[in-house]
Amino acid sequence: MDTFEAIETRRAVKHFDPRHRLSDSEQEHLLSLALLSPTAFNIQHWRLVLVDDADLRARIRAAAWDQAQVTDASLLIVLCADTKAWQKDPARYWRNAPGPVQDFMLPAIQHYYQGREQVQRDEALRSSGIIAQTLMLGARAMGYDSCPMDGFDFDAVGELIALPADHLIAMMIAIGKATEPARPRGGQLPLDQIVVRNRFSR
Ligand SMILES: Cc1cc2nc3c(=O)[nH]c(=O)nc-3n(C[C@H](O)[C@H](O)[C@H](O)COP(=O)(O)O)c2cc1C
């Protein structure tokens, strides 16, 4: 499947085969692809909580308005981010780079994030959106379907997964084998309602 087809056929699927599981190698492949997603300064601050405990899935489902995807999908990822990754051994993000690049990047990371709580949160959510799409398109290319989800009680799910205080939850992503196609598309806006040439008109 090429990229165009993966984009065109990715849909938010609500019904997954609860008996199907991705193999370990498929899971590894998908997660390795996801890891190639871009992050500003390459800080890779996403944290992917893979929930395979059936009881925990059931409790998350209860906190997600009983949405069946949570228990039935092969893979349930609570997509989190560490908003303080920028200050946790940042040399690891550039360990393969030449010395001059490291000398530039490491202070730049500190300068960009230090004391800027909103930026830390914005970047975490920005990066999470990108990796989410990588996961969904990667899954599609492997013949699977997905559903991005934020229809849940974030505090309750944070509690259930023991979310650290300096992390946030961006969304959940259910991935698996669809048993029913998605409903027809809700309706895409015409391009002229979303494309702005050069600047907004006041
Ligand atoms: C951040 C986000 C959260 C969403 N949350 C849910 C959800 O909780 N449950 C659900 O069934 N679909 C959810 N969706 C799916 C959207 O309803 C769906 O993407 C949208 O209607 C467009 O349909 P499509 O993805 O099939 O093209 C979510 C989508 C996004 C991007």
Side-chain angles (χ1 to χ4, degrees), residues 105-198:
M105 282 296 177
L106 298 188
I109 291 173
Q110 301 308 305
H111 183 256
Y112 182 66
Y113 281 108
Q114 190 80 51
R116 301 176 77 200
E117 301 291 322
Q118 171 90 41
V119 168
Q120 294 166 22
R121 189 177 168 79
D122 288 351
E123 285 296 345
L125 292 171
R126 229 181 321 268
S127 302
S128 295
I130 296 173
I131 198 174
Q133 186 76 335
T134 307
L135 284 162
M136 293 188 286
L137 294 181
R140 189 80 277 277
M142 293 167 69
Y144 292 120
D145 286 286
S146 62
C147 188
M149 304 179 71
D150 65 6
F152 59 90
D153 180 329
F154 279 62
D155 291 336
V157 172
E159 196 63 35
L160 286 167
I161 63 167
L163 186 75
D166 57 2
H167 288 45
L168 57 75
I169 298 178
M171 68 183 90
M172 296 198 290
I173 303 178
I175 293 171
K177 205 169 166 184
T179 54
E180 282 181 36
R183 288 190 287 267
R185 288 188 189 277
Q188 310 314 115
L189 294 174
L191 275 180
D192 65 7
Q193 287 184 25
I194 59 165
V195 174
V196 175
R197 301 260 178 221
N198 299 313

Side-chain angles (χ1 to χ4, degrees), residues 27 31 48-53 56-57 75-78:
Q27 198 168 302
L31 296 173
L48 277 53
V49 180
L50 310 183
V51 184
D52 57 9
D53 179 284
L56 184 54
R57 288 259 203 132
L75 199 56
L76 180 73
I77 302 174
V78 184

Side-chain angles (χ1 to χ4, degrees), residues 77-95:
I77 302 174
V78 184
L79 176 49
C80 304
D82 181 351
T83 62
K84 302 296 179 190
W86 58 276
Q87 59 185 11
K88 296 177 183 170
D89 187 15
R92 62 193 159 135
Y93 313 136
W94 291 96
R95 68 180 188 282

